[in-house]
Amino acid sequence: MGTVERRRRRGASALTLLCATALLAVSALTGVAQAAPMPEPGAKSLEQVRQEIDELYRQAGTATDAYNLAESEAKAQSAKIVEIAKQVVAGQDRITALKNRAGAAARAQYRSGGMPAGAQLALSDSPGQFLDGADRIRQGEKATTDLLSEMNRTQSDLQQYAKDASAQWEKLEANRIKQETSKKQIEEKIKSAESLESKLEAEEKARLIQLEQEAQYKAQTAWLSTGVLKAINSSASESGKKAVQYATAQMGKPYVWGAEGPDSFDCSGLTSQAWRAAGKGIPRTSQEQLRLLPKVAIKDMRPGDLIIYFDDASHVGMYIGDGAMIHAPRPGRNVTLAGAGSMPIKAVVRPDA
């Protein structure tokens, strides 16, 4: 057996042992058995409550992605409006300069008795002066035509800038409304989930954490049982190593929706900041990361790649090797390690492809 394969199996075994130890630790602390207590007639089981809470937080994650996207687009539109304003100022300055040039030419003509110097030479009896005057008339006509054309172009540009600014303001307002709507949805979902959890007794809350871990462990075990790790043997790129180092250094920091560090993160805030620290700017949201970053097959996955989860791409984690990933799970949880297969994988994307 090769060194890489031994290391990979040791890593996978260590992750499996970590999950199993966590489950045993929760049981030991609470003194509860593996089986959940029998619910009262008509009451929801603790597992049903867990599933409901998970779904509420996942819906909050989807709304968070929409909020983050609207915020990112609003920043881009604000920057465009600032740029348009600069172009308008420059255009207005150009118009002023062109008017000054036209005014200077008119004043010069007035001082010469209303007849341009070239015209006076063209009326001369001297052939040489006549030719020189005719040439200067042509040059003057061209200069006047060019001046008028440039003024028209600049005026047209200013009109277009006004239209562009109006369009950007409309988009900015639309995104502000989207942000407010998403924020309301996020707060409602989180409040509902927290309300469900607050009604549980201390032992039930501990058991709830255990059920979460059991569900993740079961999914991870099923994923590993496919032999997927045998095919995954790619090494991290240099930038991928830097991204993983940044992400793992954030372990223990809390999940906060919309957060990009340094003290807290949401799921895509963690992955986008990790890759920014590695020198690579990537989209802010998990859905945009899925849409815009190159996709790779799971068998070709390497540390630093991003794993997009769920059909709606509402969650993302960073693969760190040996079947594990790091992520910011949800409100009430901290940045942590988990099995790469502990949630349904939609796709894997590579920021530095």
Side-chain angles (χ1 to χ4, degrees):
M1 181 185 298
T3 302
V4 173
E5 182 63 23
R6 285 198 299 273
R7 182 179 64 82
R8 194 172 306 287
R9 291 193 178 184
R10 284 199 302 272
S13 299
L15 184 63
T16 302
L17 180 61
L18 178 66
C19 294
T21 303
L23 294 178
L24 291 173
V26 173
S27 295
L29 287 171
T30 61
V32 296
Q34 289 292 321
M38 292 295 291
E40 296 179 5
K44 293 179 181 177
S45 70
L46 198 56
E47 173 60 17
Q48 288 174 319
V49 172
R50 181 195 72 78
Q51 291 177 4
E52 189 172 345
I53 289 173
D54 280 356
E55 179 60 23
L56 284 167
Y57 279 128
R58 201 168 72 77
Q59 291 173 4
T62 302
T64 298
D65 228 32
Y67 176 91
N68 289 336
L69 180 59
E71 183 179 43
S72 177
E73 289 177 344
K75 288 179 181 178
Q77 284 146 9
S78 295
K80 286 181 181 178
I81 289 171
V82 170
E83 183 59 32
I84 289 170
K86 291 178 180 178
Q87 291 173 329
V88 168
V89 170
Q92 289 172 336
D93 289 345
R94 185 63 180 155
I95 286 289
T96 300
L98 291 171
K99 286 181 177 179
N100 288 339
R101 280 173 54 190
R107 287 191 296 273
Q109 185 172 331
Y110 175 78
R111 285 194 299 269
S112 65
M115 183 177 291
Q120 293 175 359
L121 287 171
L123 296 175
S124 172
D125 292 333
S126 168
Q129 288 183 335
F130 175 83
L131 292 174
D132 183 51
D135 185 55
R136 289 175 66 177
I137 287 175
R138 284 193 295 271
Q139 291 177 2
E141 288 175 345
K142 184 178 185 305
T144 301
T145 301
D146 290 347
L147 181 62
L148 291 173
S149 295
E150 191 168 355
M151 287 182 69
N152 288 334
R153 284 197 302 271
T154 306
Q155 291 282 13
S156 178
D157 287 344
L158 287 173
Q159 291 174 357
Q160 186 59 49
Y161 295 154
K163 290 180 181 178
D164 291 345
S166 178
Q168 292 302 328
W169 275 115
E170 288 178 4
K171 289 181 181 178
L172 195 63
E173 178 63 13
N175 275 317
R176 183 190 65 78
I177 294 171
K178 281 198 295 186
Q179 278 181 279
E180 289 182 353
T181 301
S182 296
K183 181 179 179 180
K184 184 177 180 181
Q185 291 174 343
I186 294 164
E187 291 171 342
E188 286 176 351
K189 298 300 181 184
I190 291 177
K191 185 177 180 180
S192 296
E194 289 175 342
S195 176
L196 279 173
E197 201 162 354
S198 68
K199 295 174 183 177
L200 301 175
E201 299 295 334
E203 286 188 358
E204 290 178 314
K205 289 180 180 178
R207 174 62 178 153
L208 186 69
I209 294 175
Q210 183 181 8
L211 289 173
E212 287 180 9
Q213 293 172 337
E214 286 176 351
Q216 294 170 6
Y217 179 73
K218 181 179 179 180
Q220 174 72 356
T221 302
W223 186 67
L224 292 176
S225 69
T226 64
V228 66
L229 279 190
K230 295 178 182 178
I232 302 174
N233 54 19
S234 298
S235 299
S237 64
E238 286 304 311
S239 55
K241 290 177 184 177
K242 292 178 183 178
V244 169
Q245 287 170 357
Y246 178 93
T248 53
Q250 313 312 311
M251 286 181 63
K253 294 183 178 180
Y255 177 107
V256 174
W257 67 266
E260 299 177 85
D263 300 320
S264 58
F265 297 87
D266 62 20
C267 65
S268 57
L270 176 65
T271 55
S272 60
Q273 288 302 307
W275 271 101
R276 177 172 292 182
K280 175 74 174 179
I282 65 172
R284 169 63 176 89
T285 71
S286 56
Q287 292 176 351
E288 289 295 280
Q289 288 168 2
L290 171 65
R291 187 173 72 87
L292 297 175
L293 297 179
K295 297 177 180 61
V296 296
I298 290 178
K299 66 180 181 63
D300 298 322
M301 188 163 57
R302 69 189 187 195
D305 287 347
L306 306 183
I307 307 175
I308 310 296
Y309 292 100
F310 303 110
D311 287 339
D312 59 0
S314 57
H315 192 67
V316 60
M318 178 180 291
Y319 186 63
I320 62 171
D322 294 324
M325 62 91 171
I326 187 166
H327 70 146
R330 65 165 177 83
R333 301 289 183 264
N334 299 328
V335 175
T336 188
L337 290 178
S342 58
M343 292 174 284
I345 296 175
K346 182 174 181 65
V348 177
V349 296
R350 178 163 297 164
D352 62 340

